[in-house]
Amino acid sequence: MKKGLILSAVVATLLFSGCDKAKEAANAVKEKGAEVATSATEATKEVASKAVESTKEVASNAVDSAKEAASATVEKAAEKTKEVATNAVESTKEAASNAVEATKEAATATAEKAKESASATVEKAKEAVAAPAVDGKALFTVCAGCHGANGEKKALGQSQVIGGWDAAKVEEALKGYKAGTYGKAMKGVMQGQAAKLDDAKIKALAEYISTLK
């Protein structure tokens, strides 16, 4: 009986002792697990913090790069715009200068032509004033003795009938007689008569003869 009681006490003691150790082990595991969890949480927080910082840095670098690129693009655009504007101004200046020069040249040429025209007009006016009007009818009185009052006769029976000739034909014949390049049988006689006539008299005489019928 006593031996059974002692054995039971020993077993109970061992059981209680084992329970305490199990509790201690469980508590140790629990504490270790809490420590590991805390460490893992801290590590996770640290990794997350580093990731956030890295993301911020990358984003900041991207923004700076974008700003630099935009600034460079704006500067290039401004330089190109200035260059284009400068070229346009230079082209406009050159075109304006050429237009002014062309206008000056045209004005000068026009003025020269106007001067020449005015000078020619003045000269003709002077000649008209200086030279008295030539009377073709009066000149023909010398011719009428051989050619007839209306140019209806053959002079000395050998010349052509000049009545009805146009002014150009008469003028050509008289100038030919004067130069000795025109005429046949009457050439010698007419050359002496035509030699007395200048161009104005020949013209006036030819115009009058052209009116004879």
Side-chain angles (χ1 to χ4, degrees):
M1 185 67 179
K2 289 182 179 179
K3 286 181 181 180
L5 292 172
I6 293 169
L7 182 59
S8 296
V10 171
V11 171
T13 302
L14 288 173
L15 288 173
F16 282 119
S17 176
C19 286
D20 291 336
K21 287 183 178 180
K23 287 181 179 179
E24 289 177 0
N27 288 332
V29 170
K30 186 177 181 180
E31 290 176 358
K32 191 65 176 177
E35 183 179 347
V36 170
T38 300
S39 297
T41 300
E42 292 297 327
T44 301
K45 287 182 178 179
E46 184 177 354
V47 170
S49 178
K50 287 182 178 180
V52 170
E53 291 298 325
S54 178
T55 302
K56 287 182 178 179
E57 184 177 355
V58 170
S60 178
N61 291 337
V63 171
D64 290 338
S65 297
K67 286 181 178 179
E68 290 177 2
S71 178
T73 301
V74 170
E75 289 179 0
K76 286 183 179 179
E79 289 298 324
K80 190 65 178 178
T81 301
K82 286 181 181 179
E83 182 180 350
V84 171
T86 300
N87 291 338
V89 170
E90 291 300 323
S91 297
T92 302
K93 286 182 179 179
E94 184 177 354
S97 178
N98 291 338
V100 169
E101 289 300 323
T103 302
K104 286 182 179 179
E105 290 177 4
T108 300
T110 302
E112 290 298 325
K113 287 183 179 180
K115 286 181 180 179
E116 290 176 4
S117 179
S119 178
T121 302
V122 170
E123 289 300 322
K124 286 183 180 180
K126 286 181 178 178
E127 290 175 2
V129 171
V134 180
D135 187 351
K137 183 177 180 179
L139 290 172
F140 187 72
T141 56
V142 178
C143 308
C146 296
H147 289 281
N150 294 310
E152 75 280 7
K153 296 180 180 180
K154 291 183 177 182
L156 302 179
Q158 300 183 52
S159 74
Q160 299 180 53
V161 175
I162 61 175
W165 282 17
D166 60 45
K169 185 176 181 178
V170 176
E171 188 172 350
E172 181 182 0
L174 289 174
K175 286 183 176 180
Y177 278 130
K178 186 176 180 179
T181 58
Y182 180 86
K184 294 180 180 179
M186 298 298 295
K187 183 176 181 180
V189 175
M190 286 301 301
Q191 187 172 10
Q193 294 297 324
K196 303 173 185 178
L197 304 173
D198 58 21
D199 288 346
K201 288 180 179 180
I202 288 175
K203 189 173 219 36
L205 188 56
E207 288 178 357
Y208 177 73
I209 292 173
S210 69
T211 64
L212 301 176
K213 301 297 182 182

